[in-house]
Amino acid sequence: MNKGRLIVFSAPSGCGKGTMLAEILKDEQFYCSVSATTRSPRDGEIDGVNYHFLTKQDFESKIAGGKFLEHACYCGNYYGTLVSEVESRLEQGINVILEIEVQGAMKIREIRPDALFVFIAPPSIAELRRRLNKRGTESQEVIDKRVAEAANELPYAKKYDYIIVNAALEDAVSDFFAVIRAEQLKADAREKFIDEVIENA
Ligand code: 5GP
């Protein structure tokens, strides 16, 4: 069986990443790793489903115990990818999506250069602010912080393999599947197939 592909999926807050992922995850070939965080749950968020919500102390003991593939500090809270969320699923042939910010993504770039890096960009910063205001889950202060963070994150987009602009959900999701298809058709992903055709000639 072919191993699954590790997919790093990053987007500044308010880029519609959550709605895009909900569409992508309807396809059972994909699993989105559940991260650990020290931030408080938002209304409706469930422990173990949206995140593993940990205390700072628990998080730090997991860092010390080598339980994270990567971790980063974002807007004053820890976020991290647990090894246990990723490796066994890749072995089972499932494509594992890491929905992580840019610092974590750059760490994965170093340790897993075989991963696929996809950045979701907003059409503009003004549109991003409008979406965050409309979502209404954060205070104005947090929104300002997240907009500033988005402006800091955008230059990193150039370090990813693909950039998808989420102006319209349907188009962005179909761009994502186009990227996956293109990757599956790459010559180095097809070597085994070509060898089999040659052997059976
Ligand atoms: P939020 O608080 O809006 O759920 O997430 C804030 C940021 O943390 C987002 O950019 C999200 O992609 C990122 N994030 C979520 N989980 C992880 C993780 O495991 N590792 C890293 N590095 N970033 C994460």
Side-chain angles (χ1 to χ4, degrees):
M1 187 204 285
N2 288 334
K3 272 188 77 170
R5 187 84 190 266
L6 185 61
I7 302 167
V8 173
F9 190 88
S10 301
S13 187
C15 282
K17 180 178 46 179
T19 2
M20 273 186 78
L21 275 176
E23 286 302 309
I24 293 164
L25 294 172
K26 287 180 183 166
D27 182 332
E28 287 177 0
Q29 289 178 66
F30 297 93
Y31 171 79
C32 187
S33 160
V34 179
S35 294
T37 184
T38 56
R39 89 148 159 74
S40 313
R42 294 190 187 118
D43 273 356
E45 283 186 331
I46 301 167
D47 187 33
V49 175
N50 303 93
Y51 280 103
H52 300 285
F53 293 101
L54 303 182
T55 61
K56 193 165 176 247
Q57 199 184 5
D58 281 347
F59 201 104
E60 286 174 347
S61 86
K62 284 198 193 306
I63 297 175
K67 304 284 185 210
F68 289 111
L69 195 59
E70 63 71 38
H71 70 275
C73 207
Y74 176 90
C75 291
N77 284 301
Y78 280 129
Y79 292 83
T81 305
L82 293 158
V83 176
S84 57
E85 282 286 317
V86 176
E87 303 300 344
S88 61
R89 290 189 175 87
L90 292 175
E91 290 299 329
Q92 289 164 33
I94 297 168
N95 300 312
V96 177
I97 298 178
L98 306 185
E99 191 258 273
I100 63 178
E101 50 62 73
V102 296
Q103 303 167 63
M106 294 304 107
K107 282 182 207 157
I108 299 287
R109 195 46 129 184
E110 282 167 29
I111 56 173
R112 298 295 287 263
D114 56 321
L116 172 64
F117 292 78
V118 181
F119 190 93
I120 312 302
S124 67
I125 293 286
E127 173 60 15
L128 187 124
R129 184 180 280 282
R130 196 190 64 77
R131 288 181 192 171
L132 284 173
N133 279 323
K134 196 172 152 215
R135 186 162 87 183
T137 49
E138 271 92 11
S139 66
Q140 199 54 54
E141 192 196 336
V142 172
I143 290 176
D144 288 346
K145 219 167 158 187
R146 285 182 176 240
V147 170
E149 195 58 44
N152 288 336
E153 284 181 337
L154 276 175
Y156 286 91
K158 296 178 188 168
K159 297 184 187 285
Y160 284 62
D161 299 318
Y162 295 90
I163 299 174
I164 295 175
V165 179
N166 187 5
L169 175 68
E170 216 173 290
D171 295 341
V173 171
S174 100
D175 283 349
F176 176 83
F177 285 114
V179 163
I180 297 296
R181 190 69 190 130
E183 286 291 306
Q184 287 167 342
L185 299 180
K186 271 195 166 164
D188 52 3
R190 291 281 174 155
E191 270 178 21
K192 213 169 117 201
F193 166 78
I194 292 297
D195 288 343
E196 277 168 14
V197 172
I198 293 168
E199 266 169 39
N200 295 327

